[in-house]
Amino acid sequence: MAELFKRLQEEMKAAMKSGDKDRLSTIRMLISEIKKVQIDSKKELTDEEIIAILQKYVKQRKEAYEQYAKAGREDLANKELKEIEVVQEFLPQPLSEDELTKIVEETIKEVGASSVKDMGKVMKAVMDKVKGRAEGSVVSRIVKEKLS
């Protein structure tokens, strides 16, 4: 069983004991998402696969937050933000823009990229290196800057 999954289960127990209903419901939702994927794929998930599920969940929550904020539903928008905060506790620390820029520059040299036409190769290599620690949109922006 993946370490991250065990940690989620421990945190769920702690949330039950402390009576933190919001945290408990968020962690339960994460565990149920993970179990659903495990059942569908008929295998135990690795920490990396679980991180991908958590990232997808955060992305969905951010999109929901934006929709609620546009509609003026501050109560629901704040609920989404709280869920995002809980989930981010279980994700690896994101890389800073400087760290990302350095990785992008190294990768451009490694793959021998010279123009924006090589962006696909660079993006794939960078995303493999920064799995779970950077958003694709940020990486894409940096790669474009460096190749143009």
Side-chain angles (χ1 to χ4, degrees), residues 7-141:
R7 186 170 154 223
L8 279 164
Q9 290 177 320
E10 293 301 316
E11 290 293 330
M12 183 176 73
K13 290 175 193 168
M16 278 182 201
K17 289 177 184 170
S18 70
D20 188 344
K21 288 185 172 61
D22 292 337
R23 184 174 175 80
L24 178 62
S25 73
T26 301
I27 294 172
R28 276 189 173 147
M29 180 62 70
L30 294 174
I31 289 174
S32 101
E33 286 287 319
I34 293 165
K35 285 183 177 178
K36 187 176 132 235
V37 173
Q38 281 182 330
I39 290 168
D40 290 348
S41 65
K42 295 182 172 85
K43 69 179 183 101
E44 286 283 320
L45 298 178
T46 65
D47 279 341
E48 277 185 358
E49 291 167 321
I50 292 173
I51 287 170
I53 293 168
L54 300 187
Q55 286 174 320
K56 183 178 172 190
Y57 189 82
V58 166
K59 187 177 180 186
Q60 290 169 340
R61 300 285 61 85
K62 283 181 181 175
E63 289 168 1
Y65 165 77
E66 289 168 10
Q67 294 300 318
Y68 290 138
K70 274 186 202 167
R73 292 295 309 266
E74 290 303 312
D75 54 334
L76 294 172
N78 289 334
K79 181 179 179 288
E80 296 296 334
L81 280 180
K82 287 178 188 166
E83 282 193 28
I84 290 169
E85 286 173 19
V86 171
V87 179
Q88 285 179 330
E89 289 176 33
F90 301 99
L91 289 171
Q93 284 299 95
L95 293 164
S96 71
E97 190 123 346
D98 291 341
E99 291 170 312
L100 265 177
T101 303
K102 195 174 175 183
I103 292 170
V104 168
E105 288 169 350
E106 289 169 6
T107 307
I108 288 172
K109 287 178 190 162
E110 286 171 19
V111 298
S114 57
S115 70
V116 179
K117 290 178 184 173
D118 300 318
M119 188 164 169
K121 283 194 293 190
V122 176
M123 281 296 296
K124 184 178 180 337
V126 171
M127 291 309 287
D128 285 345
K129 289 180 184 180
V130 300
K131 264 192 189 120
R133 299 189 61 205
E135 284 187 28
S137 59
V138 177
V139 174
S140 174
R141 180 176 50 79

